[in-house]
């Protein structure tokens, strides 16, 4: 059980690091928000499941699952609000020069 | 409940507060209890999670690729879904999937920002939409 939780947390950390690299490498707010959504939907999932496995069966597991459910409800809303605000403010998405 | 204290003060306070909130909101909540619909949505979640896992790996590959082979674009997606809640579910699913983000919602179309062609194809192929249409077909 411990080993499983360690594996989950390490996988989650890997995705969080990739997302951070993505935020630094990608060119504009639209594509960066894709990297951020990587954090939310997969990094946080693996981290929280790893924590739940580490915790074993107790009240805290329900709290962790509640956090996960709220995260999955809120993150699309926040990402959508950010991108829509950027679009309405007149930002043009970065594009390949050739096309 | 979550504080794991089951004495009468906490339980009573919780009951009163939750009934008050439910009563205040009862006039304008779109979420009428509909257990068949909820059952179908719960069946829909594992499928969505599998899609999220796949596209996460794709976006990870894009980010770690030395040449950064991205080709971001805005695409317009017509949707045939009539129910507002179904459109919300579609928009949320698209945003939750890495690589695609819903940028603007119009009554019969979505404007989606996609990171590259493979991510965009996820949305334009209408796979998510047909799945949601299936969820809502008999639920009403």
């Amino acid at each position: 059980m411990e080993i499983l939780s360690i594996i989950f947390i390490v996988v989650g950390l890997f995705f969080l690091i990739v997302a951070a690299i993505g935020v630094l490498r990608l060119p504009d707010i639209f594509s960066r928000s894709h990297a951020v959504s990587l954090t939310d939907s997969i990094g946080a999932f693996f981290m929280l499941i790893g924590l739940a496995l580490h915790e074993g069966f107790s009240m805290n597991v329900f709290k962790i699952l509640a956090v996960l459910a709220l995260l999955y409800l809120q993150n699309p809303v926040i990402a959508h609000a950010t991108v829509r605000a950027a679009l309405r403010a007149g930002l043009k998405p970065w594009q390949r020069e050739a096309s | 409940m979550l504080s794991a204290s089951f004495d009468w003060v906490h339980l009573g306070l919780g009951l009163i507060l939750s009934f008050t909130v439910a009563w205040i909101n009862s006039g304008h909540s779109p979420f009428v209890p509909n257990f068949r619909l909820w059952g179908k949505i719960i069946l829909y979640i594992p499928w969505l999670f599998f899609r999220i896992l796949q596209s996460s790996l794709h976006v990870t590959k894009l980010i770690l690729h030395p040449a950064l082979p991205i080709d971001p674009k805005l695409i317009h997606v017509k949707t045939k879904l009539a129910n507002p809640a179904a459109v919300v579910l579609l928009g949320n699913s698209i945003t939750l999937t890495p690589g695609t983000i819903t940028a603007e919602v119009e009554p019969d179309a979505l404007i989606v920002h996609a990171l590259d062609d493979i991510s965009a194809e996820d949305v334009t192929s209408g796979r998510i939409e047909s799945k949601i249409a299936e969820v809502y077909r008999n639920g009403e």
Side-chain angles (χ1 to χ4, degrees), chain B residues 115-132:
Chain B
L115 194 52
D116 79 337
D117 288 333
I118 297 175
S119 301
E121 199 218 310
D122 243 18
V123 179
T124 48
S125 67
R127 251 180 306 187
I128 300 178
E129 189 184 348
S130 58
K131 200 82 178 174
I132 289 176

Side-chain angles (χ1 to χ4, degrees), chain A residues 72-84:
Chain A
Y72 267 50
L73 280 179
Q74 289 173 352
N75 279 321
V77 177
I78 294 170
H80 167 63
T82 313
V83 169
R84 187 173 67 164

Side-chain angles (χ1 to χ4, degrees), chain B residues 11-84:
Chain B
L11 280 183
L13 262 179
L15 266 182
I16 292 171
L17 282 178
S18 46
F19 271 112
T20 313
V21 171
W23 178 66
I24 290 173
N25 288 322
S26 60
H28 40 78
S29 170
F31 293 107
V32 284
N34 183 338
F35 292 108
R36 281 185 62 187
L37 180 59
W38 282 104
K40 280 184 172 178
I41 288 179
I42 286 172
L43 284 182
Y44 166 73
I45 287 172
W47 180 82
L48 177 65
F49 185 75
F50 182 66
R51 304 277 334 135
I52 288 176
L53 208 62
Q54 261 183 341
S55 59
S56 293
L57 290 176
H58 178 64
V59 172
T60 304
K61 204 177 70 192
L62 281 182
I63 289 174
L64 292 183
H65 196 289
L68 204 62
I70 60 170
D71 185 15
K73 57 188 67 171
L74 287 175
I75 42 182
H76 288 247
V77 183
K78 288 274 178 219
T79 172
K80 294 183 287 296
L81 300 174
N83 189 318

Side-chain angles (χ1 to χ4, degrees), chain A residues 25 34 59 63 80 88 96, chain B residues 1-2 63 66 68 102:
Chain A
R25 283 191 77 188
H34 292 302
M59 213 57 182
K63 291 185 198 174
H80 167 63
R88 287 192 176 170
R96 281 243 174 269
Chain B
M1 280 294 268
L2 287 180
I63 289 174
L68 204 62
T102 313

Side-chain angles (χ1 to χ4, degrees), chain A residues 3-72:
Chain A
I3 294 172
L4 207 60
S5 89
I6 289 173
I7 290 173
F8 268 82
I9 290 177
V10 167
V11 171
L13 271 178
F14 169 73
F15 279 112
L16 292 184
I17 291 170
V18 168
I21 295 172
V23 169
L24 290 176
R25 283 191 77 188
L26 292 173
D28 71 340
I29 183 172
F30 297 99
S31 42
R32 281 179 179 181
S33 62
H34 292 302
V36 175
S37 82
L38 197 64
T39 324
D40 298 339
S41 52
I42 204 80
F45 171 81
F46 276 112
M47 290 291 279
L48 288 173
I49 293 297
L51 283 180
L53 288 176
H54 175 76
E55 195 64 36
F57 189 78
S58 73
M59 213 57 182
N60 291 334
V61 173
F62 289 103
K63 291 185 198 174
I64 289 171
L65 291 183
V67 168
L68 198 61
L70 279 178
L71 217 64
Y72 267 50

